[in-house]
Amino acid sequence: MEFDFVIVGGGVYGMATAYHLARLGAESVAVLERAQPAGGASGGIGQRGVRANRRDLRELPLIREANQIWPTLHEELDGETGYIRTGGTYLIEGPASTGFKGIDAAETYARAQTELGVPTELWGRDRVRSEYPGISEDIQGASYVPTDGMASHEATTLAYAAAARRLGVQVIHETGVASVLTADDGGITGVVTDKGETIRARREVILLANGGVRRLVADATGRELPLWTIHPLASRLRTSTSAHIPMLTGHETRPLSVKMLGTDVMLSGGWRGRETAGGSEVVTDRLAGNIEVLRHVFPYLADLEVITADASRAESASVDQIPIIGRCAPRLFVAAGWSGHGWAIAPVVSRLIAEDVLLGISSPLLTPFSPERFR
Ligand SMILES: Cc1cc2nc3c(=O)[nH]c(=O)nc-3n(C[C@H](O)[C@H](O)[C@H](O)COP(=O)(O)OP(=O)(O)OC[C@H]3O[C@@H](n4cnc5c(N)ncnc54)[C@H](O)[C@@H]3O)c2cc1C
């Protein structure tokens, strides 16, 4: 088999990049996915945060662009995204004197975020209490970004996949890539699947396989990207309390990231799952620790029942906690190392990758994420 573009990985990045390539006129695009579309970090329970608040400042220009796309993405794809703009806070607990960053730092971040196109307000104790009645007395304030929200990751990824297929992209699932083919000049010419089949790429191989990227790049180029795999722990909790959490909420010093799913609470961040020989597993006392943090901040959520907990969705993290996006060899484009925040920026980053590999347009928005920063 032979295609112009061979994409490895059927998560949101693989599917959205394939969609944009086809939309921009590429006629021969294949996505190879070892399991099923949305079988990795882009699938699973609940929703993912579309958050700019207190992300790495280098990502904010991307999130600003993504915020233009999210509200109408369902129309563009003719599918569900579940996107809602709830607004989002980052809670501040410790005063600066305790060694935490505190309100002064939050004010500085708010100014920097606003200057980068993400208008941010600083809330004091009273405003936090009027928005979050019953919140812990320890919370001193919050930074608030009205454009933050959340989206259904699995639905959106499948909507990208359906839109890509309608434009002629071939999605080949249950086909893993075992290795990347390198020509004598170091350029990449295709891949070999785990079934032993060679699939040639006339123009480019695009590795969007998240946790699978590091080994494939190392085998093909001898270069070890500074990436590792993490196993975030997500849980859905039920409470009989009618009080709830009004918006996407993070915390400056406690490992807490929380949102509502209807009347249930979705918790992510915090202690992670444990790696096992075959993947990863939920560890009961780690989950209990995460729930304890939630209860500390929201004491009214006393009677939480675990409906489901999942640590099976592996994610790649980079050494400087921002993604690695760019070429690692001639005709080998790579994007991974999302470090737990690849979701929010996927609609814009996937478009920029497609514009680069198809049209040769390198966006300055991607410059900070180049693999060359490690050389
Ligand atoms: C619990 C959790 C909560 C998160 N919360 C947020 C959030 O609130 N906000 C945010 O912005 N981000 C969040 N993220 C991160 C975000 O979901 C990911 O960064 C994003 O989904 C990554 O997309 P991807 O397409 O690169 O990876 P994936 O969705 O993992 O897709 C990669 C695909 O590649 C396939 N693959 C791997 N190796 C091979 C191979 N050799 N051959 C073929 N296929 C292969 C895998 O099967 C997988 O389907 C969260 C992640 C998790 C796990």
Side-chain angles (χ1 to χ4, degrees):
M1 271 198 278
E2 198 165 297
F3 298 90
D4 285 346
F5 296 97
V6 173
I7 294 174
V8 183
V12 69
Y13 279 92
M15 293 309 182
T17 302
Y19 161 73
H20 284 296
L21 280 171
R23 183 185 61 79
L24 291 166
E27 288 178 356
S28 170
V29 181
V31 179
L32 304 180
E33 163 55 47
R34 71 175 169 201
Q36 295 293 327
S42 308
I45 61 171
Q47 300 219 325
R48 296 273 187 264
V50 176
R51 169 156 88 76
N53 206 356
R54 298 297 284 266
R55 291 295 192 212
D56 190 293
L57 294 184
R58 289 164 290 185
E59 289 185 7
L60 294 198
L62 291 170
I63 302 182
R64 190 187 58 211
E65 292 288 310
N67 278 338
Q68 309 285 324
I69 300 170
W70 275 111
T72 54
L73 185 59
H74 61 290
E75 290 167 13
E76 179 182 341
L77 300 179
D78 193 18
E80 275 302 306
T81 64
Y83 173 73
I84 33 171
R85 193 163 274 186
T86 57
T89 57
Y90 211 60
L91 303 173
I92 299 144
E93 186 168 330
S97 59
T98 62
F100 295 130
K101 289 178 179 165
I103 293 283
D104 286 351
E107 199 172 358
T108 309
Y109 271 102
R111 214 176 316 117
Q113 289 181 182
T114 302
E115 278 168 18
L116 285 166
V118 178
T120 306
E121 297 169 22
L122 191 66
W123 291 354
R125 281 181 66 88
D126 292 348
R127 178 69 192 270
V128 171
R129 273 159 193 76
S130 75
E131 301 288 342
Y132 291 85
I135 199 167
S136 161
E137 281 303 312
D138 292 342
I139 302 299
Q140 309 295 320
S143 56
Y144 169 68
V145 170
T147 47
D148 279 359
M150 50 193 176
S152 302
H153 45 302
E154 190 156 318
T156 306
T157 302
L158 296 178
Y160 270 121
R165 281 195 181 99
R166 285 197 296 274
L167 292 171
V169 170
Q170 279 203 45
V171 179
I172 305 169
H173 50 80
E174 285 167 23
T175 303
V177 166
S179 61
V180 173
L181 287 170
T182 312
D184 290 343
D185 66 356
I188 301 303
T189 56
V191 299
V192 179
T193 71
D194 52 13
K195 296 164 185 158
E197 188 182 0
T198 295
I199 300 183
R200 299 264 167 209
R202 285 184 288 258
R203 291 193 54 181
E204 190 119 20
V205 170
I206 309 167
L207 292 185
L208 302 172
N210 208 354
V213 164
R214 179 180 166 175
R215 186 189 61 76
L216 290 171
V217 171
D219 288 354
T221 68
R223 182 171 176 194
E224 281 285 346
L225 293 175
L227 296 170
W228 68 94
T229 300
I230 57 174
H231 302 279
L233 174 51
S235 56
R236 184 177 188 131
L237 311 170
R238 193 146 294 163
T239 170
S240 59
T241 333
S242 60
H244 69 297
I245 297 165
M247 64 193 84
L248 188 71
T249 303
H251 192 292
E252 185 188 59
T253 46
R254 292 184 188 268
L256 177 71
S257 172
V258 62
K259 53 183 87 72
M260 295 300 292
L261 298 174
T263 55
D264 289 345
V265 177
M266 182 179 167
L267 191 56
S268 53
W271 290 96
R272 294 177 176 147
R274 178 165 52 207
E275 196 159 308
T276 60
S280 55
E281 63 185 10
V282 174
V283 181
T284 312
D285 55 357
R286 295 184 188 178
L287 176 59
N290 294 344
I291 294 173
E292 214 32 60
V293 171
L294 178 70
R295 282 205 185 103
H296 172 86
V297 178
F298 302 102
Y300 53 85
L301 296 175
D303 59 338
L304 290 162
E305 179 196 351
V306 178
I307 302 300
T308 175
D310 180 23
S312 69
R313 306 285 169 164
E315 165 83 331
S316 57
S318 80
V319 72
D320 55 0
Q321 298 292 290
I322 56 169
I324 298 174
I325 307 170
R327 272 189 191 78
C328 286
R331 301 188 295 281
L332 181 67
F333 200 99
V334 166
W338 309 108
S339 308
H341 30 102
W343 179 253
I345 56 178
V348 63
V349 172
S350 56
R351 193 192 76 210
L352 297 177
I353 294 172
E355 288 173 359
D356 189 316
V357 299
L358 182 69
L359 307 174
I361 300 170
S362 304
S363 169
L365 293 182
L366 294 185
T367 307
F369 310 104
S370 164
E372 293 312 304
R373 72 184 185 272
F374 301 112
R375 290 203 195 260

